[in-house]
């Protein structure tokens, strides 16, 4: 059984979910933890960001969810990052439709992850609140919400929190919000400070003190298949 499963979730795109996933996993691994990243987004950005060609994969999370592939043989070790990856590509988009007719459709990912033995499993969720996201929330212990320090940051968060609460009540009573991390932060602008204040007003102590700045090296790292740990070492 996994000791801790964290879903990285915000239905808005471009808020830093994938970057947060990869770097959180890399730092946990650097701390000596055995970490699996589960790419639950059909865009497969985490998969490509960790250096895999998502077009040439023999099997992905999609195949595992429908028992078409063995999970242990689908997981890849990403030696450059010291972590493991359950990859995804565009095929996973079909799961939203195919899961509708499956018994216990909300728990398919949980059944897969329950078989695995890792210290941490980090799930990169899609930018949507469909069945894949519900599966991630049903499997997770906690949710980490990246929120960008920009004008429409809080738009849609009430719906997100409502879905989390519904899953907690109906499917996963132990689900909790780990916290909110502010991303793409530029302290030089008054807008960023205003948005930070609004986020702290809404979430209080759940907001992490650490601010993730708007950072060119961080943005470029995935194109080289690297995390921020490694880009810092290269400087």
């Amino acid at each position: 059984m996994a000791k801790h499963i964290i879903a990285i979730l915000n239905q808005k795109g471009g808020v830093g979910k994938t970057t947060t996933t990869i770097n959180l996993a890399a730092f946990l691994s650097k701390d000596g933890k055995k970490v699996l990243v589960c790419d639950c987004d059909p865009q497969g950005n985490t998969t490509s960001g960790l250096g895999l060609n998502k077009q040439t994969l023999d099997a992905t999370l999609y195949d595992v969810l429908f028992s078409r592939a063995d999970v242990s043989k689908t997981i890849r070790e990403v030696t450059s990052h010291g972590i493991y990856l359950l990859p995804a590509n565009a095929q996973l988009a079909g799961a939203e439709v195919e899961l509708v007719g499956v018994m216990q459709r909300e728990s398919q990912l949980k059944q897969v992850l329950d078989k695995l033995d890792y210290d941490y499993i980090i799930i990169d969720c899609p930018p949507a609140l469909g069945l894949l996201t519900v599966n991630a929330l049903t499997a997770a212990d906690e949710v980490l919400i990246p929120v960008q320090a920009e004008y429409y940051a809080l738009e849609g968060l009430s719906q997100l929190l409502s879905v989390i609460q519904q899953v907690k009540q109906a499917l996963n009573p132990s689900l909790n919000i780990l916290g909110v991390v502010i991303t793409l932060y530029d302290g030089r602008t008054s807008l960023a400070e205003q948005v930070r204040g609004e986020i702290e007003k809404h979430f209080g102590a759940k907001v992490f003190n650490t601010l993730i700045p708007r950072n060119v090296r961080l943005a470029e790292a995935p194109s080289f298949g690297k995390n921020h740990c490694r880009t810092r070492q290269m400087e």
Side-chain angles (χ1 to χ4, degrees):
M1 293 289 290
K3 290 183 180 177
H4 213 74
I5 301 178
I6 302 171
I8 313 295
L9 174 61
N10 188 327
Q11 80 269 35
K12 283 176 64 66
V15 300
K17 288 189 297 292
T18 296
T19 301
T20 301
T21 298
I22 292 174
N23 284 279
L24 175 59
F27 273 96
L28 286 169
S29 174
K30 194 174 181 182
D31 195 40
K33 304 295 190 295
K34 186 180 180 184
V35 183
L36 172 71
V37 171
C38 176
D39 193 350
C40 201
D41 185 351
Q43 296 177 89
N45 290 335
T46 292
T47 297
S48 56
L50 287 172
L52 275 71
N53 184 343
K54 57 191 176 187
Q55 308 302 333
T56 61
L57 296 168
D58 294 327
T60 66
L61 174 61
Y62 171 78
D63 301 291
V64 172
L65 284 175
F66 297 100
S67 302
R68 296 167 188 161
D70 183 87
V71 64
S72 62
K73 294 178 181 177
T74 305
I75 291 172
R76 304 291 191 92
E77 183 176 3
V78 186
T79 54
S80 60
H81 293 67
I83 59 182
Y84 297 83
L85 171 69
L86 183 50
N89 59 22
Q91 281 188 310
L92 188 59
E96 289 281 359
V97 175
E98 293 182 52
L99 281 170
V100 171
V102 175
M103 292 288 291
Q104 297 182 318
R105 59 189 181 186
E106 301 92 350
S107 304
Q108 295 304 299
L109 182 59
K110 175 178 171 57
Q111 291 174 29
V112 170
L113 300 184
D114 276 352
K115 304 171 186 174
L116 305 177
D117 184 20
Y118 290 87
D119 295 322
Y120 284 88
I121 295 178
I122 313 296
I123 306 173
D124 186 17
C125 298
L129 297 175
L131 266 176
L132 287 172
T133 292
V134 171
N135 265 264
L137 292 174
T138 302
D141 300 305
E142 293 182 303
V143 186
L144 177 60
I145 306 172
V147 179
Q148 63 188 123
E150 295 187 357
Y151 186 74
Y152 293 108
L154 298 176
E155 190 176 84
L157 280 181
S158 59
Q159 183 185 10
L160 171 61
L161 295 175
S162 175
V163 169
I164 292 172
Q165 188 60 32
Q166 288 173 37
V167 171
K168 182 179 176 70
Q169 290 178 350
L171 299 165
N172 184 4
S174 62
L175 180 65
N176 290 303
I177 295 175
L178 173 62
V180 175
V181 58
I182 299 175
T183 64
L184 301 171
Y185 181 80
D186 186 349
R188 298 170 298 180
T189 68
S190 58
L191 175 60
E193 280 298 311
Q194 290 171 15
V195 172
R196 178 185 178 184
E198 285 297 310
I199 293 170
E200 290 176 341
K201 184 166 72 176
H202 279 79
F203 291 97
K206 286 289 186 181
V207 180
F208 285 98
N209 292 328
T210 300
L211 301 169
I212 309 301
R214 187 178 292 278
N215 183 300
V216 174
R217 288 185 181 274
L218 196 59
E220 291 177 344
S223 66
F224 298 101
K226 300 189 183 299
N227 57 65
H228 194 45
C229 301
R230 292 176 63 81
T231 56
R232 290 180 64 184
Q233 290 169 359
M234 292 168 62
E235 292 177 352

